[in-house]
Amino acid sequence: MTSSDALADLRPRLPSPLEEAVDARFERHGVRLLLKRDDLVHPELVGNKWRKLAPNLAAAGGRTVLTFGGAYSNHLRATAAAGRLLGLRTVGVVRGEELADRPLNPSLARCAADGMRLCFVTRSVYRRKTDPDTLAAVLRAAGAEDALVVPEGGSNAAAVRGCVELGRELA
């Protein structure tokens, strides 16, 4: 797949549609409920994942993207898929060193299939992941000292900027 194909595959379907939820109970009370369908933005980067990841991936500038999550993390799955689609190296730091010697669950298996390198850490290390010394040790252990670090869940200032468009679409 060429890089232009990857970008085409990654292109979101924006703005996401609004769908009305019609129900007699709503109508009786004069309520109109519209659902913003961000789950339809991209088949692999659903919900707010595209909006939160896009500015972070742009900031990576081709560098490895390292992020954090639990064994069933949708954020890890979305990051791995985006990495595959864009040709970016991804590393997922997974909470729970005890999981390293077990078969991968479907979420982590999907991450691995998408090319994400999984690094399992103890729960105590995971709790301290924002401590500069702990983060540096995690980056060294992952062989990703120059990686762009995206926090657990992808929530940072760049992600907030990525979600601003959601409000504009609603306006």
Side-chain angles (χ1 to χ4, degrees):
M1 175 182 294
T2 69
S3 60
S4 61
D5 292 336
L7 290 173
D9 287 345
L10 194 56
R11 190 171 301 122
R13 295 173 189 98
L14 294 173
S16 58
L18 283 174
E19 289 183 8
E20 186 164 8
V22 179
D23 188 289
R25 293 169 290 185
F26 295 153
E27 292 171 7
R28 269 197 309 272
H29 297 285
V31 173
R32 184 172 179 221
L33 178 62
L34 298 174
L35 304 174
K36 183 74 167 149
R37 296 293 311 271
D38 261 18
D39 60 312
L40 301 176
V41 167
H42 190 277
E44 296 181 81
L45 304 167
V46 297
N48 64 4
K49 299 303 181 208
W50 164 259
R51 295 178 193 276
K52 291 168 69 175
L53 276 173
N56 281 293
L57 296 172
R63 292 181 295 156
T64 297
V65 175
L66 180 139
T67 193
F68 302 86
Y72 291 92
S73 170
N74 288 326
H75 169 66
L76 288 180
R77 286 177 52 188
T79 303
R84 174 180 47 80
L85 292 166
L86 290 174
L88 291 174
R89 212 174 132 229
T90 58
V91 176
V93 178
V94 183
R95 178 182 59 243
E97 183 181 51
E98 71 277 6
L99 302 172
D101 297 325
R102 295 184 185 165
L104 297 177
N105 67 38
S107 291
L108 294 178
R110 181 73 252 166
C111 291
D114 281 340
M116 178 176 270
R117 181 166 172 246
L118 300 173
C119 295
F120 297 87
V121 298
T122 65
R123 292 171 189 278
S124 71
V125 165
Y126 195 88
R127 278 191 297 275
R128 296 188 320 269
K129 65 187 172 294
T130 59
D131 170 73
D133 291 336
T134 301
L135 179 59
V138 167
L139 289 167
R140 273 192 309 278
E145 292 91 341
D146 67 336
L148 172 77
V149 177
V150 177
E152 181 177 16
S155 296
N156 59 13
V160 170
R161 287 190 301 277
C163 289
V164 165
E165 191 59 30
L166 178 60
R168 289 188 187 120
E169 288 175 21
L170 289 170

